[in-house]
Amino acid sequence: MILPAPSEITPESVYLARRRFLRQGAALAAAFPLGLRAATAAADCAQADVPGLLPGERPNSFEEITSYNNFYEYSTEKTAIKHLAVNLNPRPWQLRIEGEVAKPVTLDIDAIAAPARQVERIYRLRCVEGWSMVIPWQGAPLCELLSAVQPTSRAKYVRFVTLHDPERFYGQRRSSLPWPYTEALRIDEAMHPLVLLATGLYGKPLPNQNGAPVRLVVPWKYGYKSSKSLVLIRLEEKQPPTTWSQIAPSEYGFYGNVNPEVPHPRWTQSREVRIGELKKRETLPFNGYAEQVAHLYRGLDPTKHT
Ligand SMILES: Nc1nc2c(c(=O)[nH]1)N[C@H]1C(S)=C(S)[C@@H](COP(=O)(O)O)O[C@H]1N2
Ligand SMILES: [Mo]
């Protein structure tokens, strides 16, 4: 066997090889003995039927995922984010979960990223702007954390709030967006087993430019719904105002479900450029997760509720 030179061992080749190995099963069983799995709040809500990649689809490289980013707290210049985000300082960090819950909690980032909570999910990320990537995330299923705080019967929506700190986020000194960046989901969307609080990618702690140390990932929605660098999750009775739907409701609706049939007011959403590819791909309803999530939207007119 010819071994690659150390310089040729990319994080992604190491990660993907290890992932293939883990999928064989034995190693996974050893890492998560049954007792431990059953003991975590985990088990039930996080049982997800995660669709695999399409024929011809591959995860984007670590380099691609960390070099082309949207993070208005730093800049609107996608290739600049990785250079600016070096000052983020994602540790120590705490995430508060409160509002309509019986047991509000302040979680340390290391508790959220604890190995026993972690799942690995390879998801497509589709930006409203027409580009997409495939990202191998690690993180905690959001439903586990929400179940643990015991939502009250008045909890109908979940608000997600990014850190507000102009000392670290230079972009917050300008009013390019109303700060802090805020997003929200209906509680049943938030409890869906596909939703992650991501704390890593390619087996490494989440890079700053991707929203360190913890960000939301909702794979069937446009990228803007997946808020980065979260400090607060609040369960609420009324639909919270969200950043993008406040400034441009006709372009970024509350739902933000990926829908190739509903164009953005200024461009089509029927195709997308996968970062690193030349030929455009067809955009799929719900970004390819329709089988898993379409039932959440029965009765809603997708052309009105975007
Ligand atoms: N706090 C915050 N979260 C954010 C954004 C942002 O500007 N600020 N941009 C969103 C948009 S529009 C997209 S497409 C994704 C991009 O995530 P990525 O840079 O990890 O690919 O992050 C989303 N989350
Ligand atoms: Mo986006």
Side-chain angles (χ1 to χ4, degrees):
M1 183 162 102
I2 300 169
L3 292 173
S7 61
E8 289 168 24
I9 303 176
T10 59
E12 54 268 29
S13 61
V14 172
Y15 174 82
L16 294 172
R18 187 179 64 89
R19 195 167 191 278
R20 265 191 299 278
F21 171 70
L22 282 174
R23 258 191 314 214
Q24 321 274 305
L28 192 62
F32 296 99
L34 271 181
L36 179 60
R37 298 204 113 190
T40 56
D44 319 61
C45 77
Q47 292 306 321
D49 148 36
V50 185
L53 296 181
L54 301 167
E57 232 178 7
R58 58 162 189 98
N60 280 90
S61 70
F62 185 82
E63 181 66 21
E64 286 165 338
I65 294 166
T66 57
S67 306
Y68 191 84
N69 302 98
N70 259 343
F71 205 164
Y72 277 48
E73 282 82 346
Y74 281 108
S75 168
T76 53
E77 193 57 60
K78 286 179 226 311
T79 53
I81 311 285
K82 70 168 174 185
H83 303 294
L84 298 171
V86 292
N87 79 335
L88 177 57
N89 263 324
R91 274 178 175 73
W93 191 281
Q94 292 184 324
L95 171 65
R96 172 90 182 149
I97 310 183
E98 61 175 32
E100 288 294 346
V101 301
K103 300 192 161 169
V105 66
T106 302
L107 292 169
D108 193 81
I109 184 59
D110 293 319
I112 302 169
R117 281 194 203 276
Q118 300 291 292
V119 297
E120 305 193 339
R121 302 270 173 83
I122 300 185
Y123 286 152
R124 276 173 222 104
L125 181 146
R126 169 65 158 81
C127 180
V128 147
E129 298 163 329
W131 53 269
S132 64
M133 294 202 211
V134 174
I135 306 179
W137 302 106
Q138 291 80 49
L142 179 63
C143 62
E144 287 179 23
L145 296 168
L146 293 183
S147 306
V149 297
Q150 299 178 8
T152 72
S153 58
R154 285 182 298 276
K156 307 263 164 53
Y157 293 91
V158 187
R159 183 197 292 247
F160 300 89
V161 185
T162 295
L163 174 71
H164 187 208
D165 180 1
E167 296 287 313
R168 283 190 270 183
F169 287 147
Y170 308 122
Q172 287 181 335
R173 297 174 197 179
R174 280 170 286 134
S175 44
S176 48
L177 290 180
W179 310 113
Y181 193 104
T182 301
E183 262 306 333
L185 300 171
R186 276 188 347 216
I187 184 105
D188 58 331
E189 298 180 300
M191 291 294 289
H192 193 283
L194 289 182
V195 180
L196 279 192
L197 278 187
T199 54
L201 64 83
Y202 269 120
K204 301 178 165 208
L206 200 59
N208 291 357
Q209 58 268 45
N210 297 92
V214 55
R215 61 93 58 85
L216 186 65
V217 179
V218 192
W220 68 93
K221 291 178 182 277
Y222 289 114
Y224 69 87
K225 297 294 295 182
S226 294
S227 322
K228 297 178 166 182
S229 305
L230 295 174
V231 290
L232 176 64
I233 296 180
R234 218 163 179 282
L235 286 80
E236 302 187 3
E237 187 164 13
K238 305 237 158 60
Q239 182 176 313
T242 60
T243 299
W244 288 104
S245 64
Q246 268 173 292
I247 61 164
S250 64
E251 303 187 21
Y252 314 95
F254 175 81
Y255 282 96
N257 292 324
V258 173
N259 188 344
E261 285 170 19
V262 177
H264 181 276
R266 290 178 280 141
W267 56 81
T268 171
Q269 291 291 23
S270 67
R271 276 183 290 282
E272 65 199 58
V273 177
R274 179 65 44 82
I275 299 303
E277 296 181 354
L278 294 173
K279 194 170 164 286
K280 287 195 178 185
R281 287 175 179 266
E282 301 285 321
T283 290
L284 301 171
F286 296 104
N287 204 23
Y289 304 93
E291 206 177 299
Q292 287 73 28
V293 304
H295 69 274
L296 294 172
Y297 307 103
R298 252 177 232 139
L300 278 188
D301 177 349
T303 62
K304 294 210 178 74
H305 299 279
T306 54

